Amino acid sequence: MARIKPQPGVMDIELYVGGEASLPGVAEPVKLSSNENPFGPGEAALAAYREAGASLHRYPSSDHRALREAIAEVHGLDAGRIICGAGSDEVISFLCQAYAGPGDEVIHTEHGFAMYRISALAAGATPVEVPERERTTDVDAILAAANERTRLVFIANPNNPTGTMIGGNEIVRLADGLPEGALLVLDGAYVEYVEGHDGGAALVDARDNVVMTRTFSKIYGLGALRVGWGYGPQEVIDVLNRVRGPFNVSGPALAAAEAAVRDQAYVAHCRAENARLRARLARALAEIGIPSDPSAANFVLARFRDAATAEAADAYLRTRGVIVRRVAGYGLPAALRITIGDEDACDRVAGALGDFMARRGEG
Ligand SMILES: *Cc1c(COP(=O)(O)O)cnc(C)c1O
């Protein structure tokens, strides 16, 4: 096989490690490792998904018009400037494929989402990691790293796995300061958890160098179906559509997502429950000596004294049937990311960590 080699960069990709879903010997573990909505999808989305089962022999829409129009109507956007993907991961991949190649640089932040680096490398481009300040996106650090080779700058706001956010003025300063030829991508996977936040849609409308991505995997509870979307300048969306496969989103996924986006009452309900339970979990953790940054998303980043303590806490939680996410791969070896589950799950994880801290004599 010595003569048969993958493209440069491909072998630098470390395999994505997803949140674990099972524990040996535990029938129903509490899964708080993938930022999923503990309440699942809403009734309307489920009904649309079941109904789509009657048409499995038909190819899906290739232009996703019905879903794009529903998204546009609900969010007040231009349907012609929306692109749908098999998860927002696919939109991120389209962006890298279309705009970055060998010799080009793709900026992401220190604790940024793993797919930015993976997609940049898959496209043959060079990922550039920029420091954060106190686990928060640092606009000055990004601007200092940007140069004439920069093609894409990815930031998630709120960020994963930190849960922190930067304000609209900072985003504008970033978009203003980037060199010509660089596109700013605002990953809004958790935007729905922030009351009244447009994810940067107005900024996309006002400029020619900003793209927003969104997903149905988080608050909409449809991670299994793989649907996400992007909103950007017309020229950018036209470019991305050239690299998109014609049937990249399945029929049941399109149907469920369309019903889900029209059901904003369910989204509001999930947002309110998440805010209530997040405050409750963060308070419970603080009381037992585990700090976390104020989170704007559906998880908290619990910080321990050191990496060994975080690892021991994770192992102990497993013995109690609770799966959370280690984030050493995100440069946070002393932290655990805990998804906000339902009330019972929040109480279980807080109770187990309380026992862990008491046994260790911590807190
Ligand atoms: C979960 C997540 C996504 C969404 O991925 P999908 O492919 O839409 O499921 C995108 N960005 C970030 C930062 C995420 O945490």
Side-chain angles (χ1 to χ4, degrees):
M1 289 296 281
R3 288 181 302 119
I4 301 176
K5 291 198 178 71
Q7 289 290 305
V10 171
M11 296 311 289
D12 297 329
I13 298 174
E14 280 158 44
L15 288 182
Y16 183 86
V17 182
E20 285 171 72
S22 62
L23 283 177
V26 181
E28 284 187 48
V30 177
K31 182 174 188 271
L32 304 176
S33 55
S34 297
N35 298 342
E36 295 151 341
N37 182 338
F39 310 112
E43 280 304 324
L46 269 178
Y49 172 73
R50 291 198 186 100
E51 198 182 312
S55 313
L56 293 185
H57 55 306
R58 302 290 183 203
Y59 267 91
S61 157
S62 64
D63 65 9
H64 312 146
R65 178 183 297 274
L67 175 56
R68 287 187 296 105
E69 286 178 349
I71 291 169
E73 210 177 296
V74 168
H75 293 292
L77 307 176
D78 174 357
R81 293 195 282 127
I82 293 171
I83 182 169
C84 301
S88 48
D89 281 0
E90 196 185 29
V91 180
I92 292 167
S93 161
F94 292 157
L95 282 159
C96 290
Q97 226 184 307
Y99 286 100
D104 296 333
E105 296 183 355
V106 175
I107 291 179
H108 64 85
T109 67
E110 187 181 359
H111 309 302
F113 188 45
M115 290 312 298
Y116 310 146
R117 177 182 161 83
I118 291 175
S119 293
L121 286 169
T126 305
V128 174
E129 181 182 302
V130 166
E132 298 185 9
R133 195 190 301 131
E134 294 286 310
R135 297 169 299 280
T136 306
T137 298
D138 181 345
V139 168
D140 292 310
I142 295 175
L143 291 176
N147 60 45
E148 73 283 357
R149 291 182 300 279
T150 307
R151 293 289 166 266
L152 293 161
V153 174
F154 284 101
I155 67 166
N157 202 38
N159 192 25
N160 170 23
T162 58
T164 58
M165 242 187 122
I166 60 171
N169 293 344
E170 281 292 275
I171 303 273
V172 170
R173 195 161 73 82
L174 177 56
D176 273 341
L178 287 178
E180 260 184 70
L183 199 51
L184 172 62
V185 184
L186 301 174
D187 180 336
Y190 301 97
V191 159
E192 292 83 3
Y193 289 103
V194 184
E195 177 98 56
H197 187 22
D198 78 348
L203 195 65
V204 171
D205 284 339
R207 312 185 56 99
D208 62 3
N209 67 339
V210 181
V211 171
M212 167 179 79
T213 62
R214 303 282 285 267
T215 183
F216 284 93
S217 302
K218 303 288 159 56
I219 208 166
Y220 289 101
L222 295 172
L225 290 183
R226 315 300 306 124
V227 201
W229 53 283
Y231 183 62
Q234 192 68 62
E235 304 84 86
V236 173
I237 298 303
D238 291 347
V239 165
L240 300 184
N241 269 316
R242 287 170 187 268
V243 299
R244 177 178 70 80
F247 306 110
N248 62 320
V249 185
S250 76
L254 289 168
E258 184 188 342
V261 77
R262 292 191 188 282
D263 188 4
Q264 287 297 310
Y266 184 68
V267 172
H269 165 75
C270 294
R271 174 168 47 239
E273 274 300 273
N274 181 72
R276 178 177 77 82
L277 294 168
R278 182 180 62 204
R280 178 185 164 112
L281 178 61
R283 205 179 319 116
L285 293 179
E287 276 166 14
I288 55 177
I290 302 174
S292 60
D293 297 315
S295 169
N298 67 336
F299 53 85
V300 294
L301 186 71
R303 300 205 307 278
F304 296 82
R305 184 165 29 153
D306 50 31
T309 310
E311 200 170 328
D314 180 49
Y316 180 72
L317 287 174
R318 288 160 177 277
T319 68
R320 299 276 297 261
V322 179
I323 311 175
V324 299
R325 183 70 167 269
R326 290 219 61 201
V327 283
Y330 283 92
L332 295 160
L336 296 176
R337 193 192 68 190
I338 307 173
T339 301
I340 308 302
D342 60 16
E343 193 162 315
D344 180 57
C346 288
D347 290 349
R348 266 181 74 178
V349 72
L353 283 172
D355 294 344
F356 169 79
M357 297 297 272
R359 283 163 160 232
R360 307 264 300 191
E362 305 242 357

